[in-house]
Amino acid sequence: MGMEDEIKRLIKVCLSILASLCYTYFIASKIPKGKLRFFSLLPIFCLFTILPLSLSTALPAGVIALFITWVGSFKVLLFSFGLGPLSSGPPLNSLPLFIFSTCLPIKAKQGGQQHHQIAPNHKTPQNPKLPLNLPTKVLLFGILVALTDFTKYVHPNILLSQYCCMLYLFVDIIVGLSNATLRALLGVQLESPSNEPYLSTSLQDFWGRRWNLMVTNTLRHTIYKPVQLAMETFLGPKWASLPAVFVAFLVSGLMHELIFFYMTRVPPTWEVTWYFVLHGMCLVVEFGVKRALSGGRWQLHWIVSTPLTIGFVMVTATWLFFPPLVRNGVDARAIEECKELVEFMKEKLKWDGLHTV
């Protein structure tokens, strides 16, 4: 009964989002861009902030917080001032596409070009390809979930590394399924949520070109560009990007802290913020050293740089990113919720089958 109640609450949340975006599309879009449109959308920002609190399970609350409270709100904020993916092109011509473009952390390809960098231009070195398609990711995720039954036999650090892989697969599966749905309904080809992050050759490559690309693109437009323009007066165009990158990571850390609050319902410990601050500082140092030495062209061979990069990301994640979730039992709850949902769906299908017969 608990899962059924949660599904009903989730449906109410989805209906609230739908109504909010219909208002944004039909009414707010008719108001001139700028402060007036921004003030007309303030109730939407407030609603998007409190919606995850109406859900009691960790995974749905986290997903709504990521898709709506963070990415969706930032897109609507850009829309207030006539910027971003909602302000021009196909989204404004179609209500369904406008809704999907707001809710999902993906962005339609335009002219075959991809725009998802926070960090300045960085040429990715040629390295081996190991593409994982959606069925393979679902299979791997299922195996990793099944292995959580044996957590008492596994070293905590190995378990946290397993959670790193599960997080990557979970995000890609959710967005991949949404991508397939949107392609079937509207015939729109969308970017993948990530680009083989396990092959990253640097932090700049990982965060700027490979991991969670729509969040990266959203931060680029809402945080990175404005800060960069503001700092050009003091530092010049060559170095203004460094504080802009750091501020973008700081904002990302604070938004992750908010998502963790929705999932744990306990006061923040700021560990996850420090995780992103640390990576922002390291990325600034990495980019500054490259630019100072050889104009950004210097780099290690991928055989050395890829293990170093992925190792640093995973080690710091086990140190700062995952402990708040594990300490509050969110990892175990999320895994149990997945299993309960599967069992609930099995029961519903079995019940519907009996009625059909």
Side-chain angles (χ1 to χ4, degrees):
M1 190 64 178
M3 180 56 66
E4 189 169 353
D5 288 341
E6 184 68 0
I7 290 176
K8 289 179 180 178
R9 285 193 287 268
L10 183 59
I11 291 173
K12 290 180 180 178
V13 167
C14 292
L15 291 175
S16 299
I17 296 169
L18 180 62
S20 300
L21 295 180
C22 286
Y23 164 82
T24 303
Y25 183 81
F26 286 113
I27 298 179
S29 62
K30 303 300 186 289
I31 300 174
K33 62 184 180 182
K35 294 181 180 179
L36 190 58
R37 185 187 292 183
F38 171 76
F39 285 120
S40 74
L41 289 170
L42 281 179
I44 306 301
F45 297 129
C46 295
L47 179 63
F48 283 1
T49 303
I50 64 175
L51 278 179
L53 295 174
S54 49
L55 299 170
S56 59
T57 47
L59 268 183
V63 170
I64 293 296
L66 172 62
F67 286 20
I68 303 302
T69 307
W70 182 2
V71 176
S73 293
F74 276 34
K75 288 180 182 178
V76 173
L77 176 63
L78 289 171
F79 177 71
S80 300
F81 298 96
L83 304 171
L86 303 181
S87 297
S88 60
L92 281 182
N93 302 327
S94 166
L95 175 60
L97 186 56
F98 183 88
I99 292 171
F100 278 116
S101 298
T102 306
C103 293
L104 299 177
I106 44 184
K107 176 176 178 285
K109 292 180 180 177
Q110 297 178 351
Q113 297 180 344
Q114 295 181 355
H115 309 275
H116 48 244
Q117 282 183 270
I118 285 180
N121 291 336
H122 170 67
K123 186 178 180 179
T124 304
Q126 296 297 319
N127 51 5
K129 296 293 183 182
L130 185 63
L132 299 177
N133 57 26
L134 186 58
T136 304
K137 291 174 183 177
V138 172
L139 176 61
L140 290 175
F141 184 74
I143 293 172
L144 291 175
V145 170
L147 289 176
T148 57
D149 291 337
F150 306 96
T151 53
K152 59 183 178 181
Y153 305 109
V154 179
H155 190 278
N157 288 337
I158 296 177
L159 180 63
L160 292 177
S161 299
Q162 180 179 334
Y163 288 159
C164 290
C165 299
M166 292 173 67
L167 176 63
Y168 157 64
L169 293 170
F170 178 75
V171 172
D172 265 29
I173 289 169
I174 290 294
V175 179
L177 292 174
S178 301
N179 191 359
T181 302
L182 185 55
R183 189 163 54 241
L185 291 176
L186 301 176
V188 178
Q189 181 63 39
L190 301 167
E191 293 176 348
S192 298
S194 61
N195 178 25
E196 301 181 83
Y198 43 82
L199 296 179
S200 301
T201 57
S202 66
L203 290 178
Q204 187 178 348
D205 188 28
F206 180 85
W207 292 111
R209 289 179 173 269
R210 293 188 179 273
W211 176 251
N212 215 344
L213 300 180
M214 191 57 214
V215 168
T216 300
N217 187 62
T218 302
L219 286 171
R220 184 172 70 93
H221 286 289
T222 55
I223 307 298
Y224 174 80
K225 280 189 172 182
V227 174
Q228 183 187 34
L229 289 174
M231 296 306 296
E232 281 183 357
T233 305
F234 305 99
L235 301 177
K238 182 177 180 180
W239 298 103
S241 58
L242 299 187
V245 167
F246 178 78
V247 174
F249 272 84
L250 175 61
V251 172
S252 180
L254 294 173
M255 294 308 299
H256 277 84
E257 205 79 60
L258 181 62
I259 293 174
F260 279 27
F261 171 74
Y262 290 130
M263 299 177 73
T264 62
R265 306 298 167 89
V266 298
T269 57
W270 308 111
E271 289 162 277
V272 69
T273 300
W274 278 112
Y275 172 78
F276 284 95
V277 167
L278 173 63
H279 276 256
M281 293 172 62
C282 291
L283 182 55
V284 166
V285 171
E286 176 188 282
F287 177 68
V289 169
K290 287 180 180 179
R291 174 162 287 189
L293 291 179
S294 56
R297 292 186 296 273
W298 178 85
Q299 56 195 13
L300 293 172
H301 193 277
W302 68 265
I303 292 178
V304 177
S305 60
T306 294
L308 287 176
T309 300
I310 301 305
F312 181 76
V313 170
M314 296 184 72
V315 168
T316 51
T318 59
W319 173 35
L320 292 170
F321 189 88
F322 287 106
L325 299 177
V326 176
R327 190 165 52 244
N328 294 286
V330 173
D331 57 327
R333 283 167 48 204
I335 292 167
E336 286 303 314
E337 289 165 12
C338 288
K339 294 178 179 178
E340 285 180 17
L341 180 60
V342 170
E343 290 301 319
F344 175 78
M345 295 305 295
K346 284 182 179 178
E347 290 297 321
K348 292 295 290 183
L349 290 173
K350 202 179 296 181
W351 179 258
D352 291 342
L354 287 174
H355 274 272
T356 302
V357 173

